[in-house]
Amino acid sequence: MKKQGRFSTKMIILIPVFVIGIISIISSVLAVKNIRKVNENAQIANGYMVCIADLGSIQIETEKIHRLGLSHIVATDLDSMISLVDVIRAEQTVLDGYLSDFEQFIDDSDRENYEAILSNYEGLKYENANLMAYSANGNKEAAYALANGAISEYADKIDQNI
């Protein structure tokens, strides 16, 4: 029997089928790897978005407290002043919550800025209490000077650290 020099028809059909099968397996493996990378990046982005939203909330609450302090100065009656003190205390409680919740996002490289935010916030709370005391005592000039001076500086420093 003489050996044939050609491939059989069966082999001619099976070789491309095997090549296509191997290519589809390799393509599927690469697709699964790419999907995993996309999911990892999406989770990172999601974490950053929460962090940015929390920083925005901290900034908004700081501005509210500053603005409410100014409202306390211009309040004309005792009832308004007392209600503003209650609102300011409530906003400070909210901001305290935001700051404590935000600590989960802090790593070693951000620790210094976070500590500066906390320090400036403590200064802001202290000066805001002084502002309300001056305002309640009728010393509007000292209250305005404090609001536009130290309190404004603390709020600006918090914004810079954010």
Side-chain angles (χ1 to χ4, degrees):
M1 295 239 141
K2 195 174 172 186
K3 207 174 185 186
Q4 285 185 346
R6 295 182 174 192
F7 292 109
S8 69
T9 308
K10 191 190 269 185
M11 288 299 282
I12 292 174
I13 293 173
L14 284 178
I15 289 176
V17 170
F18 286 133
V19 170
I20 290 173
I22 291 171
I23 290 173
S24 67
I25 290 172
I26 291 171
S27 173
S28 297
V29 168
L30 291 175
V32 168
K33 279 184 166 182
N34 286 335
I35 287 173
R36 287 185 181 155
K37 284 182 185 179
V38 167
N39 283 339
E40 288 173 9
N41 290 338
Q43 289 176 2
I44 289 171
N46 189 28
Y48 284 136
M49 293 302 288
V50 171
C51 179
I52 290 169
D54 286 352
L55 284 173
S57 298
I58 290 169
Q59 186 176 21
I60 288 169
E61 287 300 318
T62 304
E63 291 171 0
K64 278 184 187 178
I65 291 170
H66 186 204
R67 190 175 60 247
L68 287 168
L70 291 170
S71 296
H72 189 274
I73 297 170
V74 297
T76 56
D77 62 342
L78 185 61
D79 291 335
S80 298
M81 287 183 178
I82 292 172
S83 68
L84 280 169
V85 169
D86 292 338
V87 172
I88 289 170
R89 298 289 182 228
E91 293 296 331
Q92 287 175 342
T93 303
V94 170
L95 185 53
D96 287 337
Y98 284 148
L99 288 170
S100 65
D101 290 345
F102 187 72
E103 190 169 11
Q104 68 181 336
F105 298 111
I106 302 300
D107 57 9
D108 292 336
S109 64
D110 295 328
R111 178 66 52 189
E112 187 177 327
N113 278 335
Y114 179 71
E115 295 297 328
I117 288 172
L118 291 178
S119 174
N120 287 320
Y121 175 56
E122 288 302 318
L124 183 121
K125 284 196 312 189
Y126 176 77
E127 295 299 340
N128 210 19
N130 287 338
L131 176 141
M132 290 185 288
Y134 285 139
S135 176
N137 201 25
N139 194 351
K140 305 286 185 188
E141 291 83 23
Y144 275 119
L146 197 56
N148 295 324
I151 293 175
S152 181
E153 288 175 17
Y154 282 126
D156 289 343
K157 287 178 185 176
I158 291 172
D159 285 345
Q160 288 172 359
N161 290 121
I162 287 175

